[in-house]
Amino acid sequence: MGQRLTQIATRTGDNGTTGLGDNTRVSKDSLRVHAMGDVDELNSNIGVLLCEAMPQGVRTLLVEIQHQLFNLGGELSIPGFELLKPEAVLALDAALAEHNEALPRLQEFILPAGTRAASLAHVCRTVARRAERAVVALEGQESLKDTPRQYLNRLSDLMFVLARVLNRYRTDGSVGDDVYWKSEKLARASAD
């Protein structure tokens, strides 16, 4: 494979525009660039999450997700192009089913807290939701395939589930739990 980047500081963006993969230039505040940036931020946050201790299966899954997010970013950078395939959404569905099956049913809302790894997974979840909103906003102006929106929607669900998995994971063999919301209204209702 030949070199794709030969120089990082091109100075071509000094005027407030950026180049897309089809060689067109757009404003850096365009909806397409916002969507690309949110996907890039999500991928970077997953990179931070990967610095934490976790089960090998979760690590392998997250690395694959990073590659798919790079495909998604590439697709967003070239209007009309498709890099992210529907099979990537099916892979997230399979991971959701696998990890949900191993978790206890939720009895209450949980807080985005617990272990550092779980908390970072929750950050990834919220960035995935923002990236999804950015893609939906872009769809309001331009025609896009369904897969990018579906992938980000499913990924945010998966990051919630993985946060629960990571809250239970301990290297010493013990088992952790989620951090549950303490609803005053529910507490009063159960006391009555």
Side-chain angles (χ1 to χ4, degrees):
M1 174 186 272
Q3 285 184 303
R4 292 180 185 256
L5 296 176
T6 58
Q7 172 178 338
I8 299 301
T10 62
R11 294 176 180 76
T12 57
D14 287 352
N15 67 353
T17 66
T18 191
L20 297 180
D22 64 357
N23 293 321
T24 60
R25 295 203 66 81
V26 297
S27 173
K28 289 185 178 183
D29 73 350
S30 76
L31 292 178
R32 183 171 294 278
V33 174
H34 278 281
M36 290 165 38
D38 288 345
V39 168
D40 186 34
E41 183 181 349
L42 172 57
N43 209 343
S44 297
N45 274 290
I46 291 174
V48 174
L49 173 56
L50 282 164
C51 294
E52 301 296 318
M54 64 185 63
Q56 185 57 46
V58 172
R59 181 173 304 283
T60 300
L61 174 62
L62 290 174
V63 169
E64 175 59 23
I65 288 167
Q66 280 197 301
H67 286 279
Q68 295 299 337
L69 287 172
F70 207 83
N71 287 339
L72 174 53
E75 183 169 326
L76 290 170
S77 76
I78 306 171
F81 197 62
E82 179 184 20
L83 276 172
L84 185 67
K85 304 297 183 197
E87 294 79 20
V89 177
L90 296 176
L92 294 184
D93 284 334
L96 273 163
E98 173 191 343
H99 290 289
N100 262 325
E101 187 176 320
L103 291 169
R105 290 180 58 95
L106 280 172
Q107 302 299 319
E108 182 55 85
F109 289 107
I110 64 171
L111 298 178
T115 66
R116 179 177 165 81
S119 298
L120 289 169
H122 279 295
V123 170
C124 293
R125 171 185 59 79
T126 62
V127 177
R129 285 286 183 218
R130 179 165 23 95
E132 179 187 7
R133 291 190 303 270
V135 166
V136 168
L138 179 59
E139 282 180 315
Q141 287 189 349
E142 300 181 36
S143 177
L144 295 178
K145 305 271 187 215
D146 291 335
T147 306
R149 174 183 15 85
Q150 293 168 346
Y151 190 83
L152 291 168
N153 181 276
R154 210 75 90 251
L155 180 55
S156 62
D157 292 341
L158 179 61
M159 295 312 300
F160 177 86
V161 170
L162 292 180
R164 296 190 68 212
V165 168
L166 293 170
N167 261 336
R168 283 162 178 73
Y169 178 73
R170 300 288 189 277
T171 56
D172 65 4
S174 65
V175 178
D177 199 2
D178 298 308
V179 178
Y180 295 94
W181 174 52
K182 294 178 182 160
S183 165
E184 292 180 25
K185 181 179 178 182
L186 289 176
R188 284 192 303 269
S190 64
D192 291 342

